[in-house]
Amino acid sequence: MKTDIVNKVRAVFWSALWIIPIPFGIFVSDRRFFVSLSVPYFFLTALIITLMLRRRDLKRHGQSAYAAAAYLFYGNVIGAIFATAFLGTLRETELWKFYILRLGVYFLWLLGTLFLQAVLAWLFEYWYANRRHRLFAEFIDPLMYALPLPTALMALFFFPAVNFAGVSGPEQFITGLFGLFFFVNTAAYNIFIIAAFAFYFYPAKTRYPFMRDRVFALFRLVFMVCVFIFVQTAVNMMTGLWAYEFQYLTVRNNPLIFILPLVSYTFFMWAAIGMGNALTVLKTAVWKQ
């Protein structure tokens, strides 16, 4: 276990030697046009070079410390979104105003992003290899399908503080624009969660060989989606959760803007899954009689 972790850490540092120099050199130029290219170039090369290093390891040794390609891609995307949100916050700090300090902060951000992407890729790979087989899998697996991307987008759009000083245009328009983004992100949460329910709980013939069981499993799926919608609507009507998130947490460098939705949607999903399991227990008891 310790050797495996050491190999993974070494793999990230080795990839950093190939990935960081060019985007960091572009940033060192301190020219506005080139600096704007540094971040997308870094994200693109981080994915391509890591995939190339993994392929090289597989050819030479038959194994690699890097995660498989699909998990590398997903981990890189989620990590890139979170890292971009954090970079937006760093740009508003006092450290960013001084050239030397800005270089140090940016270098650490590049290295930290590589580690974040690698850890996420390994996490997704480990989870996928053990899905449906662990204790409470029905409560964990749908979360991993549904929540990472919408949560990352919430961080990207609403975590970095925004300075509106000197911004021309009606304040109502700016508020409405952020409100639109918030609505779209909320819709993304719901779409991803319902899709995860449909993907994970769909009654495939391999799992439900009898028609009666498939019909019940399909009814259970629809029931869970209805419970999810009902629970989140009821909670938001009683607590004003969405209004609180939008009014007090957006664009304020407050990590609660993505932690609170993550926790609340986890609760909504667990409530729906728990009710679905209760329905299964009830069905078993009735059919036994």
Side-chain angles (χ1 to χ4, degrees):
M1 179 67 178
K2 183 178 180 180
T3 303
D4 187 53
I5 294 176
V6 171
N7 290 336
K8 291 181 184 300
V9 173
R10 185 185 295 119
V12 177
F13 277 114
W14 178 247
S15 66
L17 292 176
W18 290 88
I19 296 168
I20 290 180
I22 294 180
F24 184 70
I26 294 174
F27 187 82
V28 168
S29 69
D30 207 30
R31 301 296 180 89
R32 184 178 297 274
F33 174 74
F34 292 108
V35 167
S36 64
L37 294 178
S38 177
V39 173
Y41 179 85
F42 165 69
F43 288 141
L44 182 62
T45 53
L47 178 61
I48 294 174
I49 291 179
T50 306
L51 289 173
M52 292 174 61
L53 292 174
R54 170 180 164 76
R55 184 179 180 185
R56 186 203 61 177
D57 289 346
L58 292 176
K59 283 187 174 182
R60 291 183 177 182
H61 311 294
Q63 60 182 0
S64 176
Y66 302 101
Y71 312 112
L72 278 176
F73 177 79
Y74 196 41
N76 275 38
V77 170
I78 301 300
I81 296 174
F82 271 113
T84 303
F86 186 62
L87 181 62
T89 297
L90 291 176
R91 287 172 172 164
E92 298 299 322
T93 63
E94 292 295 322
L95 296 174
W96 204 259
K97 297 179 180 179
F98 302 96
Y99 177 71
I100 298 299
L101 294 179
R102 184 161 66 244
L103 294 183
V105 169
Y106 188 68
F107 177 81
L108 293 176
W109 177 83
L110 292 172
L111 186 61
T113 300
L114 289 179
F115 270 97
L116 174 63
Q117 291 174 325
V119 169
L120 288 173
W122 290 322
L123 176 64
F124 292 138
E125 184 177 48
Y126 174 79
W127 157 72
Y128 194 78
N130 295 277
R131 73 195 190 287
R132 295 188 187 275
H133 299 300
R134 64 174 67 85
L135 189 63
F136 302 119
E138 287 191 344
F139 289 90
I140 297 174
D141 293 345
L143 303 182
M144 298 296 291
Y145 282 115
L147 298 183
L149 186 56
T151 303
L153 292 174
M154 181 68 86
L156 176 64
F157 289 122
F158 300 111
F159 175 63
V162 177
N163 184 9
F164 293 108
V167 176
S168 59
E171 183 179 350
Q172 293 84 354
F173 172 77
I174 299 174
T175 304
L177 187 61
F178 275 99
L180 176 62
F181 286 159
F182 192 86
F183 171 79
V184 170
N185 209 92
T186 302
Y189 268 110
N190 283 269
I191 292 171
F192 272 80
I193 290 171
I194 293 173
F197 279 163
F199 175 78
Y200 192 80
F201 295 104
Y202 181 79
K205 289 184 179 181
T206 54
R207 298 178 61 206
Y208 301 94
F210 301 107
M211 177 60 71
R212 182 181 69 173
D213 293 333
R214 289 201 299 274
V215 171
F216 175 79
L218 186 61
F219 172 75
R220 175 178 177 245
L221 169 59
V222 175
F223 176 73
M224 286 192 297
V225 171
C226 292
V227 170
F228 166 74
I229 295 173
F230 171 78
V231 170
Q232 73 160 323
T233 302
V235 169
N236 281 292
M237 289 181 64
M238 290 186 295
T239 65
L241 180 62
W242 286 343
Y244 173 79
E245 292 173 355
F246 179 70
Q247 186 172 358
Y248 296 106
L249 301 181
T250 56
V251 296
R252 286 175 171 82
N253 286 340
N254 193 333
L256 283 178
I257 190 57
F258 57 88
I259 294 176
L260 187 58
L262 177 65
V263 172
S264 61
Y265 281 106
T266 297
F267 168 75
F268 300 152
M269 292 179 70
W270 281 354
I273 295 169
M275 291 298 293
N277 289 347
L279 186 65
T280 302
V281 173
L282 180 62
K283 180 264 295 183
T284 303
V286 170
W287 283 5
K288 281 184 177 180
Q289 294 179 358

